[in-house]
Amino acid sequence: MKLFFYIIFGVLVLSGRAAQGQQVDSIYFHLYTDSLKKGVHNYINVDGKLTDGRWQPLTARELNFTASAGRFDGNSLIVDTSFKGATVAVKAALKSNPKVWKEITIYMKTVDTLERLKTMEEVLPGSPGGRRRGRKGS
């Protein structure tokens, strides 16, 4: 049993060292939305392509973020509600190698959609007071 433990431990240590040896050779924005909203945390998703072709998500620990408006809190860009511009330029650069960077222009959301949430009765039709019954009550 001890031999099995040492073999597994050795494999994990070696695989961890191999992964650490990979360097990010380029970065890309993979945004979850096509526009930024004012006054909220807009997550800026950046992935790094490693030298072996694999992808790795990057955070503010590995990246320096700058923007033409707003402020960053980790990977989240917060644009003030008083901002009047149509776009924000966002730049991400590797802390370990600032020569590796990418910049993107992101549009601001211009139309506020006031979506009405469904009531409990609309979500769970026929349930008294919107309460769900357990399996025995069905």
Side-chain angles (χ1 to χ4, degrees):
M1 190 65 165
K2 275 188 172 181
L3 178 63
F4 178 72
F5 172 77
Y6 289 121
I7 291 171
I8 296 298
F9 181 74
V11 168
L12 291 174
V13 168
L14 289 175
S15 65
R17 285 187 181 161
Q20 289 174 351
Q22 296 300 318
Q23 297 294 317
V24 175
D25 64 9
S26 53
I27 59 177
Y28 298 89
F29 289 95
H30 293 127
L31 302 176
Y32 298 124
T33 183
D34 61 352
S35 60
L36 299 171
K37 295 177 186 171
K38 296 177 188 178
V40 299
H41 284 72
N42 297 280
Y43 189 81
I44 306 298
N45 189 40
V46 180
D47 295 316
K49 188 171 184 186
L50 302 176
T51 53
D52 68 357
R54 292 181 302 133
W55 291 90
Q56 175 180 323
L58 301 174
T59 66
R61 282 181 279 154
E62 298 90 18
L63 298 169
N64 281 321
F65 284 105
T66 56
S68 60
R71 65 176 176 81
F72 274 95
D73 179 11
N75 277 51
S76 294
L77 176 61
I78 305 155
V79 180
D80 190 78
T81 55
S82 64
F83 179 69
K84 300 293 184 203
T87 62
V88 174
V90 176
K91 181 178 178 180
L94 280 178
K95 288 181 179 180
S96 63
N97 182 4
K99 292 179 184 177
V100 177
W101 60 273
K102 190 70 101 175
E103 189 169 13
I104 189 170
T105 299
I106 309 171
Y107 286 87
M108 294 300 302
K109 185 174 177 113
T110 56
V111 178
D112 287 331
T113 55
L114 299 175
E115 184 178 331
R116 185 185 72 81
L117 297 176
K118 292 183 178 183
T119 65
M120 285 299 269
E121 185 61 34
E122 291 171 324
V123 173
L124 302 168
S127 62
R131 292 186 183 150
R132 297 196 313 182
R133 295 182 188 164
R135 288 183 182 232
K136 291 180 182 178
S138 299

